[in-house]
Amino acid sequence: MIVERGRRWLLLLALLTCLFASSAGREWKFKHKVDSQSAIYNHTLATILVRYASTVYLSDLTELFSWTCDRCDGLIKDFQMIEIIVDVQHCLQAFVGVATDPNAIIIAFKGTQGNSIQNWIEDLFWKQLDIDYPGMPDAMVHHGFYNAYHNTTIRPGILNAVARAKEFYGDIGIIVTGHSMGGAMASFCALDLRVNQKENNVQVMTFGQPRIGNAIFATYYSEILPQTIRVTNGNDVVPHMPPYYTYFPQKTYHHFPTEVWLYNIGLRSLVYQVEKICDASGEDPTCSRSVIGDSISDHLVYYGVKLMDETWRPCKIVTGPVLLNHGRSDLEGNFVLSRDLATPVLKLKIQSDAGEKPL
C-alpha cells in the first residue's frame, strides 16, 4: 500500500512538471462576456429537475417506462416517457420525455454507479485533457466523457427521440439534466443539440458534475449555452475532479458557469441550507472551491433527493414482458424502449425562443 501511494505521488509530480513545462508560453484564460442571456437560477425548477436526474438511475425499466415508480410521483407526475436508451456495453442509460411543468422536452442521463464512485474519482484525478473538441480551436476535453455521449448508442437514441417529440408536440424547448458523469454527458448533449442540430431553445441543469474541458472550451460553452446551471453541494468531491491547477491554465480543466453552490450554515437543529449563485468565472473561489472536496455523501444527495440506484449491482437492468412490444436491440445487446406516439397525451404551450423559463 505504501509503495503504491509513493508511486502515485511520483506520477503526480511528473504530471505537474509536464504541465508547468507546457504552460510556460502563452497563458490561456477563461473569458466570459456578461450579457442579459446569462442563466437565472430558479429554485423550484431545480427541485423538479433533480427528481428527473434521480429517476433515470432506476434499473426497473418497466416502472420507469410506465412512469409508475415511487420517484416518478409528486413534482414530476405530468410526464410522458418517449424513449429509454440503454447502452449495456458501456453501462449507460438515458431517457427522453415531455413534461407539462416545465413545459419542455426533458433529457436525463444516468450518472456513475454508487459502488464504483471511489475508483472512478481516483481515476479522474489522473485524467488529462486528451481530445480536441470539433470546430472549437484550442478547446480540449476529456475523451471518456465525450465518447460516452458521441460514440455510443446514446446519441442516436436521444436525437431520434427529440425529433419524434417535436413532431408530435411542436417546437417546444429542451432541458437537459444529469448527475455526476450524467451531468458531463448532459453538457455534451446540449452542445450537440445547439451546434449540430441547430436547436435554439436548449437549457442545461446538472448536479455534482465533474470538469469536462479546459478554459477555452469553457469560454465557447458559455457563449453557446448561456442558459446553463451547474449545482454543487457542500463538500461534494466530484466537482473538484479532474483537478484544477491554478498555475497551469493551458492544460488544466476548467468549469463553465453558472455554478450554484448549496451549503449548510448554523448549528445542531438550527442548520439551514444556503443557495449561493456564484460569479461568471466558472471557478468562483468563494463557492465550492472554497472548501476541500472530500465528501462522497454530499455527492449522493441534492435537495434531499438521493441520486443513486437502489441496488449496488453494476449495470443491473430489470425488464418485463410488457416491454416486449416497445423494444429494439442491436447485436451488442444495447436496446431502446420506444413509445408509439399516435397522438399527444399532454397539453403543452408552444414557446418561442424568447419565452424560456429561467433556470
Side-chain angles (χ1 to χ4, degrees), residues 48-61 63-69 71-72 76 78-87 92-99 102 104-111 149 153-162 164-165 174-179 182 185-186 189 193 307 335-339:
I48 294 174
L49 293 178
V50 75
R51 297 280 296 277
Y52 287 110
S54 172
T55 303
V56 73
Y57 272 98
L58 295 179
S59 57
D60 189 329
L61 300 187
E63 288 189 354
L64 185 58
F65 191 71
S66 62
W67 209 244
T68 56
C69 57
R71 300 189 191 188
C72 306
I76 54 175
D78 295 321
F79 177 81
Q80 182 184 30
M81 183 68 71
I82 294 178
E83 284 194 2
I84 299 176
I85 307 100
V86 180
D87 192 304
L92 303 172
Q93 184 169 306
F95 68 67
V96 179
V98 178
I105 296 170
I106 304 293
I107 305 174
F109 290 86
K110 182 178 181 178
Y149 171 72
T153 58
I154 295 294
R155 180 177 184 261
I158 294 289
L159 298 184
N160 176 67
V162 169
R164 293 176 61 230
I174 302 171
I175 299 179
V176 194
T177 190
H179 165 251
M185 294 177 67
C189 174
L193 291 169
L307 291 155
F335 62 94
V336 173
L337 298 175
S338 182
R339 187 179 303 283

Side-chain angles (χ1 to χ4, degrees), residues 120-131:
W120 181 66
I121 291 171
E122 291 178 4
D123 185 54
L124 274 185
F125 187 84
W126 302 98
K127 289 296 183 182
Q128 298 185 53
L129 295 155
D130 46 17
I131 187 172

